[in-house]
Amino acid sequence: MAIHLPIRQLFIDGEWREPILKKRIPVINPATEQIVGDIPAATAEDVEIAVEAARKAFSRNKGQDWSSTSGAYRAKYLRAIAAKITEKKSELGKLEVIDCGKPLDEALWDMDDVAGCFEYYADLAEGLDAKQKAPVSLPMETFKSYVLKEPLGVVALITPWNYPLLMGAWKVAPALAAGCTAILKPSELASVTCLELAEVCREVGLPPGVLNILTGLGTEAGAPLASHPHVDKVAFTGSSATGSKIMASAAQMVKPVSMELGGKSPIIVFEDVDLDKAVEWTLFGCFWTNGQICSATSRLLVHESIASEFLDRLVKWTKKIKISDPFEEGCRLGPVVSGGQYEKVLEFIATARSEGATILSGGDRPKHFTKGFFVEPTIITDVTTSMQIWREEVFGPVLCVKTFSTEDEAIELANDTHYGLGAAVISNDLERCDRVTKAFRAGIVWINCSQPCFCQAPWGGIKRSGFGRELGEWGLENYLSVKQVTQYISDEPWGWYQSPAKL
């Protein structure tokens, strides 16, 4: 399918601007390995201009152009962006597919979620007006106190490649709703739709400098943005290793950060389940988005009494997954995002084999593809807890399996990880589900499902999966500071010191 890739520049201060050093990065279609276009590559020089534009936009007209306006005013822009996203859904979905390789049905679903996210935060922006000057109860009648919620300032939003526009929306929508001005830096592996978000902002007349979008390499654009002294907060989604570097950089200026990092999430399947239902959720939890999900439930823990039958069905279901060009109707697994990611996933599988694990299904390039970064959905058994495949995030369609005999053993195995993003439990015993939910050391728990995500509910993890929460009201709070205002209201003098008039 011939898709035209728009030629874009950096989006700074409401305008398209060529990078200072005129650098560009090729865009490679992961399904064909062909170069289909390019994106601008920002460097520190461009970061400087974008941050200055955001600072001016934040304070322009004493904030009356954006940061100090009513939430209702900002909501109008968020709704206009949502409407444009919906209008361009088909075009944006196709660009997402050609850029990151996810099946078209998934990409179109993502576009619905992007529009929904902007709509949701438009509602919360309006609601913010009514929450201003919320009274604080005090023990002394001579004082009254209230709270103001104010935007943090200029925020850097650094996002990954697995949900390019959706992860951008998760950060841009609440940041703008709060009254912040922002610089969005998407992953260089998938930035095309984020540049189209810039065009949407231009079309709806978003005030210049409120949202700036810089594409480019992490080392050349992301690092100078995260460490910039005039950036007031960094929100990052990506690898734990990069998150650690951003935290260290931010610490030099005591700059707040929020982090949504890696995961190695468990899914526990008990013996009382409907096997086919549990099989489908297990597949969806690990192979959705071509397996490239930070919250992927990629460690299956199945009760020993049903393990043989469950795995037999799991393999049969897996072999029915349609692996094809992501534009083909009914595609359910496309290529991983890049050649580098493809090699990394295959190396994980090879290491598991060399460490003594069994590749029960998959483990290679699908035989009907000679080109493209396709990896078969892979199921690995005979796994021990010391193996790399059990401990490290793959970010590809690879599921590792262990059995258990008791609930306590399952919980211990589930929590045996440095990460703590998601976890799932599948059982018809809802009391048991409740016990397991409380025992999981994770920020997100799914009962009798895996991976559903709604912009109304909080998203984030613990341990090396990060801290802070995106989405819901918690996502808005990420970009607000709380100001206490206390007033003395008595007609009487305070009286702590003796007045000179009485001496």
Side-chain angles (χ1 to χ4, degrees):
M1 180 179 289
I3 306 294
H4 171 66
L5 217 65
I7 299 170
R8 300 295 189 198
Q9 303 293 352
L10 304 174
F11 188 67
I12 300 175
D13 208 17
E15 297 176 350
W16 296 111
R17 297 196 183 190
E18 187 177 31
I20 295 290
L21 300 185
K22 298 181 169 52
K23 295 173 75 172
R24 296 188 73 85
I25 299 169
V27 174
I28 297 171
N29 180 346
T32 65
E33 302 185 38
Q34 293 179 333
I35 295 175
V36 291
D38 55 33
I39 55 170
T43 55
E45 293 86 348
D46 304 297
V47 169
E48 202 64 44
I49 298 167
V51 171
E52 181 61 24
R55 289 207 75 77
K56 283 183 178 175
F58 187 82
S59 58
R60 191 167 47 235
N61 195 18
K62 296 184 178 178
Q64 292 306 305
D65 285 3
W66 191 256
S67 58
S68 299
T69 59
S70 68
Y73 173 86
R74 297 193 293 270
K76 289 179 183 176
Y77 286 100
L78 295 178
R79 290 204 175 94
I81 291 170
K84 278 285 181 188
I85 296 289
T86 300
E87 179 187 316
K88 297 177 179 234
K89 171 183 169 179
S90 176
E91 170 195 341
L92 290 169
K94 289 171 184 174
L95 290 173
E96 200 82 293
V97 170
I98 205 169
D99 199 20
C100 71
K102 66 172 59 190
L104 180 59
D105 288 346
E106 285 190 32
L108 294 174
W109 192 353
D110 285 357
M111 296 310 122
D112 289 336
D113 286 350
V114 170
C117 187
F118 277 102
E119 284 282 357
Y120 174 73
Y121 281 106
D123 292 343
L124 289 198
E126 286 180 334
L128 198 55
D129 292 338
K131 294 180 178 178
Q132 297 294 14
K133 295 192 174 183
V136 177
S137 179
L138 300 177
M140 296 178 69
E141 293 180 357
T142 51
F143 294 91
K144 73 174 181 179
S145 187
Y146 61 85
V147 164
L148 294 175
K149 292 194 172 185
E150 299 178 334
L152 277 172
V154 174
V155 295
L157 313 174
I158 303 176
T159 55
W161 43 259
N162 55 339
Y163 290 86
L165 189 53
L166 185 56
M167 293 293 99
W170 279 21
K171 289 176 169 52
V172 169
L176 299 194
C180 292
T181 56
I183 302 101
L184 172 63
K185 167 33 185 103
S187 166
E188 64 271 18
L189 292 178
S191 299
V192 170
T193 50
C194 289
L195 289 172
E196 294 314 293
L197 174 61
E199 178 63 10
V200 165
C201 291
R202 202 183 63 77
E203 290 176 5
V204 305
L206 187 72
V210 167
L211 177 62
N212 307 274
I213 300 179
L214 302 180
T215 54
L217 300 175
T219 50
E220 295 182 356
L225 176 61
S227 63
H228 199 289
H230 293 156
V231 166
D232 300 302
K233 183 220 164 91
V234 181
F236 173 74
T237 298
S239 74
S240 300
T242 304
S244 179
K245 290 175 184 174
I246 289 173
M247 283 183 68
S249 170
Q252 306 306 309
M253 288 166 281
V254 198
K255 183 183 299 185
V257 295
S258 50
M259 298 271 157
E260 202 261 89
L261 307 174
K264 192 72 181 178
S265 302
I267 180 168
I268 301 176
V269 178
F270 283 96
E271 70 279 8
D272 60 349
V273 299
D274 177 311
L275 289 179
D276 283 334
K277 271 190 195 173
V279 163
E280 185 176 13
W281 279 117
T282 300
L283 296 181
F284 189 81
C286 189
F287 299 152
W288 167 251
T289 309
N290 306 335
Q292 298 167 133
I293 328 173
C294 50
S295 58
T297 40
S298 57
R299 290 186 299 135
L300 167 62
L301 301 166
V302 59
H303 193 275
E304 60 187 13
S305 67
I306 62 166
S308 178
E309 173 66 12
F310 190 82
L311 289 174
D312 182 60
R313 294 197 193 193
L314 195 66
V315 169
K316 286 175 180 172
W317 275 69
T318 299
K319 290 186 183 301
K320 297 290 286 183
I321 293 172
K322 182 171 181 179
I323 310 167
S324 68
D325 183 292
F327 283 109
E328 267 192 38
E329 188 174 348
C331 174
R332 288 296 176 262
L333 194 82
V336 295
V337 73
S338 68
Q341 192 64 21
Y342 172 79
E343 294 297 338
K344 179 185 169 190
V345 173
L346 291 183
E347 191 175 324
F348 264 104
I349 295 168
T351 300
R353 186 184 280 113
S354 71
E355 288 181 342
T358 299
I359 312 303
L360 187 65
S361 181
D364 211 336
R365 175 195 288 276
K367 291 181 175 54
H368 58 292
F369 281 105
T370 56
K371 281 263 182 193
F373 308 127
F374 293 89
V375 179
E376 292 174 311
T378 301
I379 300 167
I380 301 178
T381 56
D382 300 319
V383 172
T384 67
T385 58
S386 63
M387 287 181 181
Q388 181 197 49
I389 199 68
W390 173 265
R391 309 219 67 85
E392 294 184 24
E393 183 177 42
V394 176
F395 230 65
V398 181
L399 178 72
C400 64
V401 186
K402 279 190 70 62
T403 61
F404 68 90
S405 57
T406 67
E407 184 179 312
D408 285 346
E409 183 189 5
I411 290 165
E412 185 178 347
L413 286 167
N415 290 335
D416 178 31
T417 173
H418 294 305
Y419 296 106
L421 187 52
V425 54
I426 301 186
S427 171
N428 288 327
D429 182 342
L430 294 184
E431 286 187 6
R432 173 158 61 189
C433 288
D434 188 55
R435 288 193 305 272
V436 173
T437 293
K438 290 172 182 173
F440 276 140
R441 295 280 294 142
I444 305 157
V445 175
W446 296 289
I447 297 174
N448 290 327
C449 59
S450 181
Q451 303 309 317
C453 179
F454 302 94
C455 65
Q456 295 80 4
W459 184 274
I462 60 173
K463 299 193 279 187
R464 290 189 194 173
S465 290
F467 52 88
R469 292 295 179 268
E470 296 197 286
L471 303 183
E473 295 184 8
W474 303 267
L476 186 63
E477 296 292 334
N478 255 338
Y479 301 98
L480 292 168
S481 67
V482 176
K483 179 183 282 183
Q484 177 216 131
V485 180
T486 299
Q487 179 182 355
Y488 184 61
I489 57 174
S490 171
D491 292 332
E492 298 298 318
W494 182 228
W496 183 257
Y497 301 104
Q498 191 172 12
S499 167
K502 294 181 179 179
L503 293 175

